[in-house]
Amino acid sequence: MNGPAATGTYTWDRSFRLWDTYFALIWLATLVFVLGTQHPGWPVRVAAAGLLVPLIPLYVWVGRPILRGDPPDEPRALGYILAETALFLPSAVLVGETRLMTFALVPHCFMTLRLRWALSVVTVINLAPVIGWALLWWPSDQDVFFNALFAVVTLVFSMAVGSWIIRVIEQSQERAELIAELDASRHEVSRLSAAHGALAERERFAREIHDTLAQGFTSLLMLIQAVEAELADDLPQARRHLALMDETARQNLAEARALVAGGGPADLDGASLPDALRRLAARHGATLDVTGAVRALPAGPEVVALRSCQEALSNTRKHAGSSASVGIVLAYAEDTLTVSVRDDGCGFDPVTVSGGYGLAGLRARAAEVGGTAEVRSAPGNGTTVTVRLPVPAVTTRSDAA
């Protein structure tokens, strides 16, 4: 297992080994103190030491799995703490030195129990041994005073350290939950970002296909219909339409290759925008009028202008008919590029007629580069599609100076 989860598990295992070492050292020191003291006699000291021995297997087989739980099983934890206390109290009553073991038992209370239960058990662990020891052995008043004072100080210290341990545990749990939430949020953001990117790419690809290949195939179908009608009566015109079909098919092939390669439109490959629009106008039988100072522009506005013309001309042929006159105006201004496609066809009411996917894609294209697309039409008055795009302003010599 690799990654953050493995690192966190490894860090927790290493930190828990410190608790194992701490418990073992306190237990060993307590055992040495109990066996090494001079009072009471050795049979009592051996009995007290014997009560300490089961604490080791109890900790290893029961306490350690409970302490490592996240969060600990509270009923099992309470049973474990009571078993520890039952072994510790008789030994602490018999031999006062056993009370050193409280430094190992108190942290377990705060690590496994709620604060109220932990404080209650810690109070018993610290005070009960002194009371029982005094009642059993009736030592001098001075010994009782010092042992009671030591028990009170130990109790206060235990409560302070225990409260700190609980705060650390709570903060660690909150931090772990926050990290888990952040990790889940990061994965969700990554998933949504990937999904949004895929959706945007699909929309872009669909728009490119609609503006290039789909329009080319539509033109081919219209030309085929025209050729079928002209074969019997007008062979020269049919041949001209066949030549136009050949040109349209080659153009579609070039557009498909450019689309797969991720490049710009085939019409703009090595050509200026006016040249590309002239070829496009010739294929659709339209006129082109260029105004303003022609200059090289960034690829974005030029591509949008060309695709807008393709979409507008395609709509003109589908809705206005092949007999409608179509004119294209390309206007270069100081900081604006405007392309307008006007036909004198039957027109429509923009309020009652949906613009469809093509016009929606046209507006989306213009918006991507900060421009606008406007459709003006009325029944019987033709249709005008105007796209205005922001472009870098012209810099004169005086401005540069």
Side-chain angles (χ1 to χ4, degrees), residues 119-187:
L119 293 177
S120 301
V121 176
V122 167
T123 302
V124 173
I125 289 176
N126 280 278
L127 299 183
V130 177
I131 297 173
W133 172 78
L135 294 175
L136 178 63
W137 299 111
W138 290 97
S140 64
D141 294 342
Q142 184 178 11
D143 288 341
V144 172
F145 172 75
F146 283 113
N147 278 271
L149 180 62
F150 178 77
V152 172
V153 172
T154 305
L155 176 60
V156 173
F157 176 78
S158 300
M159 290 183 173
V161 173
S163 300
W164 174 76
I165 290 174
I166 287 182
R167 284 200 301 271
V168 170
I169 292 174
E170 290 176 349
Q171 290 177 356
S172 298
Q173 291 175 344
E174 291 175 358
R175 191 174 293 112
E177 292 175 358
L178 179 60
I179 291 174
E181 291 176 1
L182 290 175
D183 190 54
S185 299
R186 181 174 61 84
H187 285 297

Side-chain angles (χ1 to χ4, degrees), residues 184-261:
S185 299
R186 181 174 61 84
H187 285 297
E188 182 65 13
V189 169
S190 177
R191 185 188 67 81
L192 292 176
S193 178
H196 181 269
L199 179 61
E201 183 63 17
R202 283 197 297 269
E203 290 179 352
R204 186 193 70 82
F205 214 66
R207 200 162 55 231
E208 292 288 342
I209 292 176
H210 177 273
D211 292 347
T212 56
L213 303 183
Q215 293 179 3
F217 290 134
T218 301
S219 298
L220 286 174
L221 290 174
M222 294 175 63
L223 290 171
I224 289 173
Q225 294 172 357
V227 169
E228 288 178 347
E230 294 163 350
L231 280 176
D233 302 326
D234 194 349
L235 285 178
Q237 184 67 16
R239 290 191 181 94
R240 284 193 293 272
H241 282 161
L242 285 173
L244 189 55
M245 289 172 58
D246 178 82
E247 182 184 354
T248 303
R250 293 178 184 277
Q251 183 66 24
N252 249 26
L253 180 60
E255 290 286 3
R257 288 171 176 169
L259 192 61
V260 171

Side-chain angles (χ1 to χ4, degrees), residues 20-382:
D20 294 341
T21 305
Y22 173 77
F23 184 87
L25 291 176
I26 295 296
W27 180 88
L28 184 60
T30 304
L31 189 65
V32 170
F33 281 12
V34 168
L35 294 177
T37 187
Q38 297 181 354
H39 181 79
W42 68 266
V44 177
R45 284 181 277 140
V46 171
L51 291 172
L52 293 177
V53 172
L55 289 175
I56 293 297
L58 180 65
Y59 169 75
V60 173
W61 292 334
V62 180
R64 202 171 188 273
I66 294 175
L67 293 171
R68 297 188 66 180
D70 186 21
D73 185 349
E74 192 167 358
R76 290 187 60 204
L78 183 59
Y80 166 67
I81 295 299
L82 292 178
E84 272 191 330
T85 305
L87 292 171
F88 165 74
L89 287 181
S91 178
V93 169
L94 292 174
V95 181
E97 283 74 10
T98 308
R99 291 196 294 275
L100 179 63
M101 196 65 195
T102 58
F103 289 101
L105 302 182
V106 166
H108 291 181
C109 299
F110 288 105
M111 292 171 68
T112 58
L113 301 178
R114 298 182 183 225
L115 183 60
R116 181 184 62 183
W117 284 103
L119 293 177
S120 301
V121 176
V122 167
T123 302
V124 173
I125 289 176
N126 280 278
L127 299 183
V130 177
I131 297 173
W133 172 78
L135 294 175
L136 178 63
W137 299 111
W138 290 97
S140 64
D141 294 342
Q142 184 178 11
D143 288 341
V144 172
F145 172 75
F146 283 113
N147 278 271
L149 180 62
F150 178 77
V152 172
V153 172
T154 305
L155 176 60
V156 173
F157 176 78
S158 300
M159 290 183 173
V161 173
S163 300
W164 174 76
I165 290 174
I166 287 182
R167 284 200 301 271
V168 170
I169 292 174
E170 290 176 349
Q171 290 177 356
S172 298
Q173 291 175 344
E174 291 175 358
R175 191 174 293 112
E177 292 175 358
L178 179 60
I179 291 174
E181 291 176 1
L182 290 175
D183 190 54
S185 299
R186 181 174 61 84
H187 285 297
E188 182 65 13
V189 169
S190 177
R191 185 188 67 81
L192 292 176
S193 178
H196 181 269
L199 179 61
E201 183 63 17
R202 283 197 297 269
E203 290 179 352
R204 186 193 70 82
F205 214 66
R207 200 162 55 231
E208 292 288 342
I209 292 176
H210 177 273
D211 292 347
T212 56
L213 303 183
Q215 293 179 3
F217 290 134
T218 301
S219 298
L220 286 174
L221 290 174
M222 294 175 63
L223 290 171
I224 289 173
Q225 294 172 357
V227 169
E228 288 178 347
E230 294 163 350
L231 280 176
D233 302 326
D234 194 349
L235 285 178
Q237 184 67 16
R239 290 191 181 94
R240 284 193 293 272
H241 282 161
L242 285 173
L244 189 55
M245 289 172 58
D246 178 82
E247 182 184 354
T248 303
R250 293 178 184 277
Q251 183 66 24
N252 249 26
L253 180 60
E255 290 286 3
R257 288 171 176 169
L259 192 61
V260 171
D267 279 329
L268 286 175
D269 187 15
S272 66
L273 177 60
D275 292 337
L277 291 183
R278 286 189 185 95
R279 288 196 293 268
L280 180 64
R283 289 197 299 269
H284 288 79
T287 62
L288 174 65
D289 185 17
V290 180
T291 63
V294 177
R295 63 185 187 277
L297 296 174
E302 289 193 341
V303 170
V304 173
L306 177 62
R307 295 301 192 210
S308 300
C309 277
Q310 289 175 329
E311 174 61 28
L313 290 172
S314 175
N315 286 337
T316 297
R317 290 309 176 206
K318 283 190 293 185
H319 302 295
S322 57
S323 60
S325 299
V326 184
I328 304 172
V329 177
L330 178 65
Y332 287 83
E334 181 179 356
D335 57 357
T336 305
L337 177 68
T338 303
V339 60
S340 180
V341 179
R342 160 76 178 168
D343 69 73
D344 57 1
C346 58
F348 63 95
D349 186 357
V351 176
T352 58
V353 178
S354 173
Y357 180 83
L359 292 180
L362 187 148
R363 293 188 178 95
R365 277 189 180 278
E368 286 179 358
V369 294
T372 59
E374 180 185 4
V375 179
R376 294 198 309 271
S377 182
N381 291 329

